Amino acid sequence: MYEFEFKRPGTIADAVAALGAEEAQALGGGQTLLPTMKQRLAAPEVLVSLSGVPEMQGVCMDDAGRVCIGGATTHATVAAEAADNYPALAHLAGQIGDPAVRNRGTIGGSLANNDPAACYPAAVLASGATIVTNAREIVADDFFDGMFTTALDDGEIITEVKFPVPEAASYQKFLQPASRFALTGVFVAKFPGAVRVAVTGASEEGVFRWTAAEEALSADFTPDAVAGLAVSPDGMISDLHGSAAYRANLVKVLTKRAVAAC
Amino acid sequence: MTKVTMTVNGKSVSGAVEGRTLLSDFIREGLRLTGTHVGCDTSQCGACVVHVDGKAVKSCTMLAAEAEGAEIKTIEGMANPDGSLSVIQQAFQDHHGLQCGFCTPGMVMSAAALLAENPSPTESEIRKYLEGNICRCTGYHNIIKAIMAASGQSVADVAAE
């Protein structure tokens, strides 16, 4: 990788200041960014590690009953510490990558990167979570802005993510075994009076809500409720691992499985 | 260049690194501890797994500067103090858990991390934990047997030969 200046601030304020430099880039756990830099597909001049900021670490509950996760919290920590309060989210975190990747990769890094096949975006969107940054709070429906694009401004850091806890939820990941990302993944979250369904790995626009399924499941929360719905392959990802039609079919199959598992 | 200081296999070490120096490069070239192998350099294969503050990490996908102040353990730190093989290492030998040996340092470090958090894993838990460690020789069965044996469990029921 190309040379860069490395910084490891100890507070959010110092991290924000460091990211004010020209061509500066935040580093979460580096499980995507470092391989990308090795391939010279990214070449920041200043790399600001967020791993030394204690106020961005950990899992807790707020007064509103939300599970709050610091932006620099690793997948392994979420898998262990969210298990009691939001099991479906903990289960999702425990299936990302492999154990060594989960010991480094962070929730903030995953969300800021918004890989179209990443798992966390599905949980955030289906839960209606709130992304907290150093500057503001962004609701999930406004955060994801297409493949590898988010509402974050340059130098803005995800400091925390707040997840409302559904009555029941399940994430079904159809594993792409080489990358260990989702070939397609569906997160179903059942709240009182409303069901949210978020799909990752399928659309060329990145994570999205399957609103037709949400309506059907809000009326009748059974796997068969989505049986009659059609998923269009238009705009779905098509690659050597699966055609657009294959992914469109997976969306429905995985939604049914998620509802059955709730 | 930045100076980094960390504890490696119980010994305090320091060295000058560039921002872009990988932990694996610092261990291999800075400290000359070449037991940690770099197979794919893309965080797929797991040959470079070391423990950072007790957790298994792919050292080719972590910057040396990020290990400032950390406690690192590599394969060189796995043997018993008298130089004899540790229980896990001996089990790999006894059960023929290696052929060419290239993946073995990473396998042993992952196995040790697994047994530290789960002292009696099932066969399927072991296979799942090793998803990030690739071996092209053994077909894995003997590695699974070695880890079952190292955890004091019977290897008789481990699937296919």
Side-chain angles (χ1 to χ4, degrees):
Chain A
M1 63 184 105
Y2 289 113
E3 253 181 281
F4 54 83
E5 186 186 348
F6 177 78
K7 294 194 170 172
R8 194 163 183 242
T11 65
I12 292 170
D14 286 350
V16 171
L19 284 165
E22 280 288 307
E23 298 292 321
Q25 162 83 50
L27 173 69
Q31 301 303 286
T32 296
L33 183 55
L34 293 179
T36 307
M37 288 169 64
K38 285 182 183 181
Q39 299 209 30
R40 299 185 170 178
L41 296 172
E45 288 179 12
V46 179
L47 195 62
V48 181
S49 167
L50 303 176
S51 64
V53 184
E55 57 193 309
M56 285 174 59
Q57 305 268 359
V59 178
C60 65
M61 296 288 285
D62 71 3
D63 292 341
R66 294 181 294 187
V67 170
C68 300
I69 301 175
T73 308
T74 64
H75 310 323
T77 299
V78 175
E81 295 185 12
D84 289 342
N85 293 319
Y86 195 165
L89 180 66
H91 181 66
L92 173 148
Q95 292 182 83
I96 296 171
D98 60 55
V101 167
R102 293 195 286 275
N103 282 333
R104 291 294 301 165
T106 67
I107 187 169
S110 169
L111 294 172
N113 190 48
N114 192 19
D115 188 296
C119 297
Y120 267 128
V124 165
L125 194 57
S127 305
T130 299
I131 313 284
V132 184
T133 76
N134 54 294
R136 56 187 166 143
E137 298 202 344
I138 310 169
V139 296
D141 287 311
D142 295 337
F143 182 78
F144 302 104
D145 212 10
M147 199 178 268
F148 296 112
T149 311
T150 68
L152 292 173
D153 292 327
D154 283 349
E156 194 173 5
I157 301 170
I158 298 173
T159 55
E160 191 177 25
V161 187
K162 298 178 175 177
F163 289 88
V165 181
E167 288 174 353
S170 173
Y171 177 62
Q172 296 291 318
K173 175 179 181 177
F174 196 91
L175 185 72
Q176 204 283 63
S179 71
R180 313 207 62 78
F181 277 81
L183 185 66
T184 291
V186 174
F187 200 110
V188 171
K190 180 178 187 289
F191 290 94
V195 176
R196 290 172 67 107
V197 178
V199 180
T200 189
S203 169
E204 290 181 341
E205 298 300 311
V207 68
F208 69 96
R209 282 173 67 186
W210 186 19
T211 49
E214 292 181 353
E215 284 164 26
L217 290 168
S218 295
D220 173 20
F221 195 71
T222 62
D224 285 343
V226 299
L229 301 178
V231 183
S232 168
D234 293 346
M236 293 285 178
I237 298 166
S238 195
D239 58 22
L240 79 167
H241 307 295
S243 66
Y246 184 73
R247 281 185 165 85
N249 185 59
L250 273 181
V251 171
K252 193 196 279 192
V253 170
L254 296 174
T255 302
K256 284 184 177 178
R257 287 183 188 172
V259 173
C262 272
Chain B
M1 301 285 266
T2 324
K3 189 186 169 199
V4 292
T5 302
M6 62 191 86
T7 304
V8 178
N9 300 329
K11 214 170 99 188
S12 178
V13 298
S14 49
V17 297
E18 289 185 291
R20 62 182 170 177
T21 302
L22 299 168
L23 180 59
S24 53
D25 288 338
F26 179 69
I27 290 169
R28 287 179 53 82
E29 288 165 31
L31 305 178
R32 309 303 295 170
L33 294 173
T34 53
T36 297
H37 290 169
V38 176
C40 66
D41 205 22
T42 57
S43 67
Q44 312 271 321
C45 80
C48 67
V49 168
V50 301
H51 296 177
V52 178
D53 293 328
K55 294 186 185 313
V57 161
K58 292 180 171 173
S59 63
C60 83
T61 310
M62 177 172 175
L63 300 173
E66 286 198 288
E68 171 67 34
E71 188 95 29
I72 311 287
K73 192 169 197 179
T74 71
I75 188 70
E76 286 88 351
M78 288 302 289
N80 296 321
D82 66 1
S84 62
L85 294 180
S86 66
V87 170
I88 295 172
Q89 290 170 309
Q90 188 61 52
F92 269 70
Q93 188 182 72
D94 293 345
H95 293 275
H96 211 93
L98 61 147
Q99 287 178 30
C100 87
F102 193 86
C103 74
T104 310
M107 287 288 179
V108 169
M109 298 313 286
S110 281
L114 167 64
L115 296 185
E117 64 184 64
N118 182 358
S120 291
T122 63
E123 179 185 336
S124 109
E125 285 170 338
I126 297 172
R127 289 185 187 275
K128 198 158 167 40
Y129 200 88
L130 294 182
E131 280 174 344
N133 291 83
I134 295 174
C135 172
R136 298 290 75 159
C137 300
T138 62
Y140 301 98
H141 299 308
N142 288 351
I143 293 173
I144 310 301
K145 282 183 183 171
I147 298 172
M148 289 294 273
S151 61
Q153 303 183 83
S154 162
V155 301
D157 295 333
V158 172
E161 286 298 322

